[in-house]
Amino acid sequence: MIGAGVAGLAAARVLVAAGLDVRVIEARDRVGGRILTEQVPESPLPLELGAEFVHGYADEIWDIVRAAGLPIVEVGERHDLVRDGGLTPTPDFGGPLAEFTARAAALDRDQPVAALLRAMALSPDQAAVLTSYVEGFHAADAEVASARALGYAERGQGSGSSAGFRLLGGGYGGLVHQLRAGIPDSAVSLGTPVTRIGWTPGSVSVEHHGGAPLRAQAAVITVPASVLATGSRPAIDPALPEKQAALAQIGTGPAVRLVLRFRTSWWDELPGARRTPDPVGFIHIPDAELPTWWTPAPIRAPLLVGWAGGPKAASYAGATDAAVLQAGLRTLSQAFALPKAQLEELLLDARTHDWSADRWSLGAYTYLLVGSEGAQARLAAPVARTLFFAGEATHAEGEHASVHGAIQTGIRAAREVIASLN
């Protein structure tokens, strides 16, 4: 098993349960991949620097949540737009998104998301919020992202993905802990980057920084698509040009997340904040450096998350934590006409993680480029009953870029391994 993100852990659990001898090799010094939960004693909730939301009701997550009794709450669905330093309801968003999805499904020929949006009769506010959603939520560049693929993803494939939830207690780290619990400690090697995967049908040699090569009948590769696309981390020998061709059609979007912990929930005092009994949830500032913000609603706590995805996030790749913090404070100061010094006085803590500069992820999560139909399935296809592939980028049924989608691919790859041995 190459990689101990949720896809790798899920695959390993299935293989261990089947009685197979399994080794999980992970370059990071922790499991979880692009899930990164920090527990801060002073914070009322765990701080998520990677994946945060549970999308829909996929059994792969909910079975673990129920069995382990993990606390979970449905995310508040209040969305506000900033106007004149206060909050006002966002324009109708569901209608235009549904129209986009329907139009994308009806396309005879694929086209960029931005082209399809320009063809729709949207108000300026609707266009701004919908574009911000595409580039933020999907971390995609609307000028090159596939409209047909994004529309397919929006249809949710029956997972109920319109509903959103947040794990409390241990956060998403609690789910990772449960996945890891099904694997013997001796089977997991952390801080062990794999440098080369040599293979012939029925035999694999995995070279790594931890000592002698590991030999096995098969390998499950769960390395993020952006890292695998480099062709050298790890190097696969003999090379797989068909996989590189598929990877060339899969984009990995940048994303910037800034988690701020304040002394008070000052946003609850903004003009328009108390117009409904629901607490402030999502705040949209379309033209800002960090255009999307959210609170832990329905839980009231002095935590605020700033987010930029896609092109707006690209300029922050490699930026210092201090630069991201200053961008966030500028955004809030300008949007709400609050002195930046006042925000700094209220601020207790700030955390971020640069996933684009993280050498073991090189981005947040994937989206499909125009004309990429079938790329995910080609990436997922086993090679000579010897090399198997998992990870969110290999999900070919619209659930890529999600934790539950990654878990599903790990289970699928493990079952393919078992079938190949019979």
Side-chain angles (χ1 to χ4, degrees):
M1 196 70 53
I2 316 299
V6 294
L9 294 176
R13 275 169 51 105
V14 173
L15 294 172
V16 168
L20 298 179
D21 185 17
V22 176
R23 284 291 301 273
V24 181
I25 310 298
E26 168 58 47
R28 301 183 191 274
D29 60 3
R30 60 174 180 82
V31 298
R34 285 167 280 177
I35 289 175
L36 179 55
T37 305
E38 292 194 356
Q39 300 286 351
V40 179
E42 299 82 7
S43 175
L45 295 169
L47 306 182
E48 302 286 11
L49 299 182
E52 177 174 353
F53 300 109
V54 175
H55 300 287
Y57 300 94
D59 290 341
E60 290 78 12
I61 287 182
W62 282 90
D63 285 351
I64 295 173
V65 167
R66 295 186 183 105
L70 300 179
I72 191 168
V73 64
E74 188 165 3
V75 174
E77 279 302 312
R78 175 176 167 177
H79 289 258
D80 285 288
L81 198 64
V82 174
R83 280 285 184 271
D84 301 322
L87 302 175
T88 187
T90 57
D92 173 29
F93 177 55
L97 183 58
E99 180 187 349
F100 170 87
T101 302
R103 286 192 177 210
L107 288 174
D108 291 329
R109 183 176 181 180
D110 200 7
Q111 62 180 262
V113 168
L116 184 55
L117 291 178
R118 285 191 287 267
M120 296 170 59
L122 300 171
S123 71
D125 278 350
Q126 287 175 330
V129 172
L130 194 52
T131 300
S132 179
Y133 170 75
V134 169
E135 296 187 340
F137 184 82
H138 291 280
D141 184 342
E143 295 293 342
V144 297
S146 163
R148 192 149 53 190
L150 191 140
Y152 181 65
E154 280 297 325
R155 290 195 290 279
Q157 292 303 294
S159 70
S161 57
S162 61
F165 302 86
R166 179 182 288 110
L167 286 158
L168 307 178
Y172 247 131
L175 183 82
V176 171
H177 176 76
Q178 294 300 320
L179 286 171
R180 167 71 185 267
I183 308 165
D185 288 344
S186 60
V188 180
S189 298
L190 301 179
T192 309
V194 171
T195 57
R196 177 180 174 273
I197 302 172
W199 69 279
T200 57
S203 177
V204 177
S205 175
V206 178
E207 298 176 11
H208 57 88
H209 289 320
L214 297 174
R215 304 191 184 281
Q217 288 180 261
V220 178
I221 301 170
T222 71
V223 176
S226 48
V227 177
L228 201 58
T230 66
S232 60
R233 289 192 290 167
I236 299 177
D237 184 21
L240 302 173
E242 69 278 14
K243 300 300 182 187
Q244 290 299 318
L247 288 163
Q249 296 182 303
I250 299 173
T252 298
V256 173
R257 173 197 294 267
L258 177 64
V259 183
L260 302 178
R261 185 166 59 89
F262 289 96
R263 299 180 190 277
T264 65
S265 302
W266 52 265
W267 44 88
D268 286 333
E269 306 305 320
L270 292 170
R274 298 187 180 275
R275 69 175 185 276
T276 74
D278 297 326
V280 174
F282 292 87
I283 300 172
H284 302 277
I285 319 171
D287 295 326
E289 292 179 88
L290 271 66
T292 305
W293 296 78
W294 61 82
T295 75
I299 295 171
R300 294 181 184 271
L303 295 172
L304 192 61
V305 177
W307 175 270
K312 279 186 179 285
S315 62
Y316 290 100
T320 65
D321 292 357
V324 175
L325 171 59
Q326 289 305 309
L329 293 177
R330 278 195 305 271
T331 294
L332 296 173
S333 174
Q334 294 167 5
F336 299 113
L338 294 171
K340 192 153 74 73
Q342 179 181 339
L343 293 172
E344 290 171 337
E345 173 61 26
L346 290 170
L347 185 64
L348 293 173
D349 190 15
R351 312 233 172 173
T352 187
H353 184 81
D354 188 344
W355 292 101
S356 293
D358 185 322
R359 60 178 177 159
W360 305 123
S361 64
L362 298 181
Y365 42 82
T366 61
Y367 65 95
L368 291 174
L369 305 178
V370 173
S372 58
E373 188 172 356
Q376 294 159 319
R378 291 192 295 275
L379 181 59
V383 176
R385 299 165 66 92
T386 303
L387 300 182
F388 300 82
F389 295 82
E392 54 91 7
T394 70
H395 202 297
E397 297 175 359
E399 303 289 359
H400 59 281
S402 70
V403 173
H404 67 266
I407 293 173
Q408 288 170 1
T409 68
I411 295 171
R412 181 260 304 153
R415 290 172 176 167
E416 289 171 344
V417 171
I418 294 169
S420 75
L421 299 175
N422 293 332

